[in-house]
């Protein structure tokens, strides 16, 4: 493996952290012991900036480039974003319809039920402008109630687990 730059992040396909590297797990690290890495990272990923600083935490995360491309959101280095699960609300759902079922067969029941649908009325109207003196019959609850129970859905793209590590030993990157 070539000599890394201090602060360089690489992916490793094995479960141990190589010498001269830290796992990108958000751990707190001593500034006194790893001053060179602190010089590059500062408290971008957390820490008190006096005795310790935090490493990037890429556990369960996908890196994204800082800044913004045309038509994209702006991201600041060290910013966290996204979620592994999401609960959609009504105005986030795609436009769709719920079909109202009816039949041309003559209606045979007065009250709605889960096994009935609208039927043909013979010699009568379906809608009334005045219901004074009439007993309104509510529709079956499964026809008018909410669905979904506000449960979150998985928002994780297909993944393959590997390990991100950041070099604390290596070549100090120049600004040229």
């Amino acid at each position: 493996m070539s000599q890394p730059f201090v602060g360089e992040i690489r992916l490793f396909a094995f479960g141990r952290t190589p010498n001269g590297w830290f796992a990108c797990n958000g751990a707190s690290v001593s500034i006194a012991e790893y001053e060179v890495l602190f010089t590059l990272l500062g408290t971008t990923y957390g820490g008190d900036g006096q005795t310790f600083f935090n490493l990037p935490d890429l556990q369960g995360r996908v890196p994204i480039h800082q800044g913004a491309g045309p038509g994209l959101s702006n991201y600041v280095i060290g910013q966290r974003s996204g979620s592994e699960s999401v609960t959609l609300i009504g105005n986030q759902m795609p436009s769709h319809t719920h079909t109202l079922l009816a039949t041309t067969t003559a209606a045979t029941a007065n009250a709605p039920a889960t096994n009935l649908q609208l039927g043909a009325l013979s010699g009568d109207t379906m809608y009334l402008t005045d219901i004074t003196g009439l007993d309104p019959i509510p529709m079956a609850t499964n026809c008018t109630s909410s669905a979904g129970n506000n449960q979150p859905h998985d928002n994780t793209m297909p993944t393959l687990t590997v390990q991100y590590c950041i070099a604390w030993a290596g070549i100090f990157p120049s600004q040229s």
Side-chain angles (χ1 to χ4, degrees), residues 47-85:
D48 67 4
Q50 304 296 314
T51 56
F52 70 93
F53 66 103
N54 291 2
L55 301 171
D57 188 355
L58 285 165
Q59 298 174 112
R61 298 202 170 271
V62 176
I64 188 168
H65 194 278
Q66 68 177 347
L72 300 175
S73 298
N74 186 41
Y75 291 96
V76 178
I77 194 163
Q79 176 184 345
R80 289 175 170 244
S81 185
S83 177
E84 287 189 20
S85 66

